[in-house]
Amino acid sequence: MKRYLFPVLQIIVVLGVILSFYSISWFGDSYRFRAEPYDPFSPVYGEYVMLQYPDLKPADSVKKGLVYVTFTTDSDGYAKIDRISNDRFFGSVAGDYYDKYVTIPQLNQYYVEQGTGKGYEDAKKLVVKADVSPWGTVRATDLSVRN
Amino acid sequence: MARQTKLMEWQQAGLIDTETIQRIKEYEANRQKKKRVPLLLIVGLTFVGLALLSFLAANWQVIPALVKIGLVLIIMVSCYVLADVSERRTIWNPVAFRILGLIAFAGALIVTVQSFHMSMQGSFIGWAVFLAALAHFFMWRHPAYAILAFISGLNIFTGVGGFGSEHATFLDWTSIVFVVIVSLAWFYFSQSFPSLILSWLFLYVSGLELFALVSYDGVLWPIWTLFALVPLLLVVKQEQDRHFLYHLYLIVAAINSLIYLTVRAETTDSVIPLGEAVALAVFGLAVGYLIYQRFRPLLWILPLGLFGFLWFDEQAILIAALVEIIAFVYLIVQERQGRRLTIPFVYFIAVQLTIYFIYAWDRLDMSLFFLVGALLVFLIAGVLWWIRKRHEGGVPS
C-alpha cells in the first residue's frame, strides 16, 4: 500500500482543488461584470485575455494597495462595488487597487480557445460571468462579447 | 548456433552430460521467448501512445475540464504503477517513473487551475509539488526527489503571493514560517547531500525574504541571516558533512563581501542606523564565540560583522581595504596549511577585479592597459607556482 500512497494522496489534492472551485458556484452568488480586454497572449500557459473592470472604481476615500470588496448588482444588471475597505471584513473578496480600478486576481485573466484571443481584444466590450462565494473566493465561469 | 557448437564441443570433451545440455537448451529457449515479448510490447505501446497523444492534442480544447484533469491523473497513476513494476522486477528505473509521476501531478494542478480560469499567481502549485517531492524524498531517500523539491520550492519564493493569499507582494508570515519549519525539518532529518545544501539555501533565502515582510529597509540582512544560520551546524551529525558545509558558508560570505563592496562604492544614499551596526557587531561577537569553540574554519566569515560600521564610509575604501586584507591573508594561510588553493585563489582574483572595476571604471580606457598587465602577471605567477609544485613533487591544487 505504501507504494500507492502518493498517487492516492495526490489525486485527493487535485480533487480538493476541483471541489473548492465548484463549491464557489454551489454556495455563492452569480454576477455579471462589465469587462475590457488588454494584452491577450501567453506562449507558456496558452492563450488568455487579460481583463480590467471599469465598474469597479472605488471612492476617493479608499487608499491604494490591498482592498477588500463585496459586490451588488446595479439597475443594468451588472456588478458594482457594494462595500469596499482597506481592512478585511466578513465575506469580502481581496483585490488590488492601483491606477484607476480595483483588480481581483481571480478575474484578471480568462483562458480562451486558441486563436480567439484577438477577437475578444478587438471586441473591446466584454462581459464576464462569475460566482462569488460567501467566504470571499471568486470563480469566473464565462466570457462573452457584450451587446 | 555458436552456442550449439560450443555445447557439442564440451559434451565431446566430457565436460557436461546430455541431461545438462537439455536443461541449458530449455532454459535458453524460454529466456529468448521472454525477451522478445517486451520488445514488441514497447514498440507497440510507443505507437499507440503517439497516436493517443496526437488525438488528445488535436482535441484538447473541446475536451471537458474534468476529463482533461482525469487524463492527466491517469498518466500520473500509470507512472506510479510503472515505478512499482520496475522496482519489483528490478528493471528500468523506478526513480525516473516517480519523478514523471510528480511532474504529472504538477501538470494535473496546472490543468485544473487553467480549466477553472483561476489566477496562476499564487504559490499553491509550488507548495503542493514541493511537499509531495519532499515526502517522496523521505520515503525513498533518493537525491533526485530532493532536487525536484528544490526546483518546485523555488516557485514559492519567485511566485507572487503567499500561502492561501494571492495578494501579498512577497511571502506572508504564514508562508515564511512554513518554509522555515519545512526547511529545518528537511535539513535535520536528511543529513545527506545535496539535501543539506538545498535546505540551507531555502533557509538563507527565507532570511532575505523576511526583511521585505517586516518592511525594514536594511542592507545588512544577508549578513544577519548568514550569522543566524551558524548554530545550524550544531545539528549536523557527521563531521565530514559539517566540513563540506563550511565551504557553503565561506562561499556565501565571499559573494556577500563582493556584493557589499560593489553596492557601497556605487551608491551614496543608502544609510543604516548606528544602532544596527553596533547590534550586528555584537551579534557577530556572540556567533564568533560559538565559531571559535566549535567551527574554527568559519572564523573567516566574522569580518562581515564589521560591515555595519564600514558602511558609513561612502567611498567604500574601508570595505575594499578589509576585503583585500582578508582575501590576501586567507590565501596565504591556506597555502601555508597545505590546503587546496582553488577557492582562495579565485576569491583573491575576484576581489582584485571588483576593486579594479569599481575605482577604475571612469578611466577605463587608460586602466585597461594595466588590467591586461595585471592579469598577465597573475597568469605567469600561477604557472610558475604550478611548475614549482610539480618539481617539488607536491600535489598541485
Side-chain angles (χ1 to χ4, degrees):
Chain A
M1 193 56 231
K2 178 184 126 182
R3 292 158 194 275
Y4 290 99
L5 179 69
F6 284 114
V8 171
L9 284 179
Q10 284 160 204
I11 288 173
I12 291 171
V13 170
V14 176
L15 287 181
V17 176
I18 296 171
L19 271 182
S20 75
F21 290 166
Y22 274 116
S23 59
I24 296 172
S25 302
W26 293 335
F27 301 105
D29 300 321
S30 293
Y31 293 98
R32 292 196 308 150
F33 291 87
R34 248 187 282 264
E36 292 170 355
Y38 66 100
D39 193 18
F41 182 68
S42 159
V44 183
Y45 292 118
E47 197 157 331
Y48 61 80
V49 184
M50 295 291 285
L51 298 164
Q52 59 185 14
Y53 298 86
D55 290 343
L56 304 187
K57 205 171 177 179
D60 294 338
S61 58
V62 180
K63 279 191 290 181
K64 300 256 165 131
L66 190 57
V67 288
Y68 296 91
V69 290
T70 50
F71 306 107
T72 184
T73 307
D74 65 9
S75 50
D76 299 344
Y78 290 102
K80 63 172 187 176
I81 294 173
D82 181 28
R83 185 180 158 194
I84 180 162
S85 165
N86 291 106
D87 302 312
R88 188 185 281 271
F89 59 93
F90 186 73
S92 62
V93 176
D96 291 309
Y97 173 32
Y98 60 87
D99 200 16
K100 284 183 289 184
Y101 308 124
V102 170
T103 314
I104 310 295
Q106 293 96 325
L107 295 179
N108 219 4
Q109 58 198 45
Y110 193 95
Y111 292 94
V112 293
E113 206 172 306
Q114 211 72 27
T116 57
K118 187 86 178 84
Y120 287 111
E121 193 187 24
D122 292 342
K124 296 270 191 276
K125 291 180 174 180
L126 303 175
V127 59
V128 168
K129 278 186 196 159
D131 297 331
V132 180
S133 73
W135 53 91
T137 47
V138 184
R139 177 190 165 201
T141 52
D142 185 55
L143 173 72
S144 53
V145 175
R146 180 156 37 106
N147 295 319
Chain B
M1 283 312 287
R3 195 190 303 127
Q4 296 279 7
T5 325
K6 267 287 172 203
L7 283 175
M8 280 177 70
E9 186 188 318
W10 289 338
Q11 192 186 13
Q12 280 163 8
L15 293 171
I16 44 176
D17 54 22
T18 325
E19 196 189 330
T20 315
I21 290 172
Q22 198 54 41
R23 288 218 315 270
I24 290 173
K25 278 181 181 167
E26 274 172 19
Y27 169 76
E28 286 298 331
N30 282 335
R31 198 169 67 96
Q32 275 182 351
K33 261 184 212 160
K34 265 185 193 168
K35 238 180 154 182
R36 271 186 206 125
V37 178
L39 186 70
L40 275 177
L41 199 68
I42 288 166
V43 173
L45 280 177
T46 312
F47 279 108
V48 173
L50 279 174
L52 205 65
L53 278 180
S54 325
F55 179 76
L56 284 179
N59 297 289
W60 189 248
Q61 285 169 359
V62 290
I63 301 173
L66 288 179
V67 179
K68 275 193 229 178
I69 300 164
L71 279 172
V72 186
L73 286 178
I74 287 170
I75 294 173
M76 184 185 87
V77 174
S78 321
C79 288
Y80 283 95
V81 172
L82 283 170
D84 189 18
V85 170
S86 81
E87 204 165 51
R88 281 173 200 274
R89 298 196 184 172
T90 58
I91 43 171
W92 308 318
N93 188 346
V95 178
F97 283 117
R98 287 203 189 96
I99 294 274
L100 287 175
L102 275 169
I103 293 169
F105 174 52
L109 286 172
I110 290 174
V111 171
T112 309
V113 166
Q114 278 188 358
S115 304
F116 291 96
H117 305 286
M118 299 302 278
S119 165
M120 295 291 287
Q121 285 179 350
S123 57
F124 172 76
I125 296 177
W127 268 107
V129 183
F130 171 57
L131 291 177
L134 215 51
H136 278 66
F137 170 74
F138 281 108
M139 183 77 98
W140 286 284
R141 294 272 170 182
H142 195 283
Y145 302 126
I147 291 167
L148 191 68
F150 181 76
I151 295 168
S152 47
L154 280 179
N155 276 321
I156 300 170
F157 292 107
T158 54
V160 180
F163 188 74
S165 147
E166 294 176 346
H167 312 287
T169 319
F170 298 97
L171 290 183
D172 56 13
W173 279 108
T174 330
S175 316
I176 282 274
V177 171
F178 265 99
V179 170
V180 170
I181 290 173
V182 173
S183 306
L184 276 176
W186 186 12
F187 187 89
Y188 181 73
F189 292 108
S190 67
Q191 299 286 341
S192 64
F193 289 106
S195 283
L196 282 171
I197 293 177
L198 300 178
S199 52
W200 190 94
L201 285 174
F202 267 20
L203 288 168
Y204 190 72
V205 178
S206 307
L208 299 186
E209 289 258 341
L210 200 63
F211 76 94
L213 197 61
V214 296
S215 308
Y216 176 69
D217 197 16
V219 288
L220 298 173
W221 280 91
I223 304 178
W224 281 105
T225 311
L226 185 65
F227 282 178
L229 287 179
V230 169
L232 203 60
L233 286 167
L234 290 169
V235 303
V236 179
K237 288 173 183 159
Q238 302 279 337
E239 191 61 31
Q240 203 184 342
D241 293 345
R242 199 173 297 137
H243 273 275
F244 198 84
L245 279 174
Y246 288 158
H247 290 108
L248 184 62
Y249 281 83
L250 290 173
I251 289 169
V252 172
I255 294 170
N256 267 319
S257 68
L258 293 180
I259 291 174
Y260 275 105
L261 177 59
T262 316
V263 170
R264 178 72 284 198
E266 299 295 322
T267 55
T268 49
D269 55 344
S270 59
V271 285
I272 52 165
L274 183 63
E276 193 190 350
V278 175
L280 182 67
V282 173
F283 188 52
L285 278 178
V287 172
Y289 179 73
L290 176 69
I291 289 177
Y292 185 75
Q293 293 290 331
R294 303 290 299 268
F295 322 117
R296 294 268 171 97
L298 283 192
L299 281 171
W300 296 102
I301 71 169
L302 286 181
L304 284 176
L306 292 173
F307 273 41
F309 293 120
L310 302 183
W311 198 258
F312 289 103
D313 161 33
E314 281 191 7
Q315 298 298 313
I317 304 280
L318 290 177
I319 295 183
L322 181 68
V323 170
E324 180 78 281
I325 291 167
I326 294 168
F328 190 59
V329 175
Y330 183 56
L331 182 64
I332 290 182
V333 169
Q334 295 295 96
E335 212 274 337
R336 289 181 72 90
Q337 289 177 349
R339 302 252 171 83
R340 285 183 69 89
L341 291 183
T342 320
I343 292 176
F345 199 66
V346 167
Y347 179 56
F348 187 72
I349 293 176
V351 168
Q352 310 316 315
L353 286 180
T354 311
I355 291 176
Y356 200 83
F357 274 105
I358 289 168
Y359 294 111
W361 189 252
D362 295 337
R363 290 178 288 277
L364 202 61
D365 48 347
M366 229 170 24
S367 57
L368 265 179
F369 178 73
F370 292 104
L371 179 67
V372 172
L375 286 176
L376 274 176
V377 172
F378 265 129
L379 196 69
I380 294 165
V383 170
L384 285 176
W385 169 80
W386 187 68
I387 290 171
R388 203 197 68 184
K389 270 269 184 199
R390 274 183 64 126
H391 277 288
E392 284 176 359
V395 182
S397 302

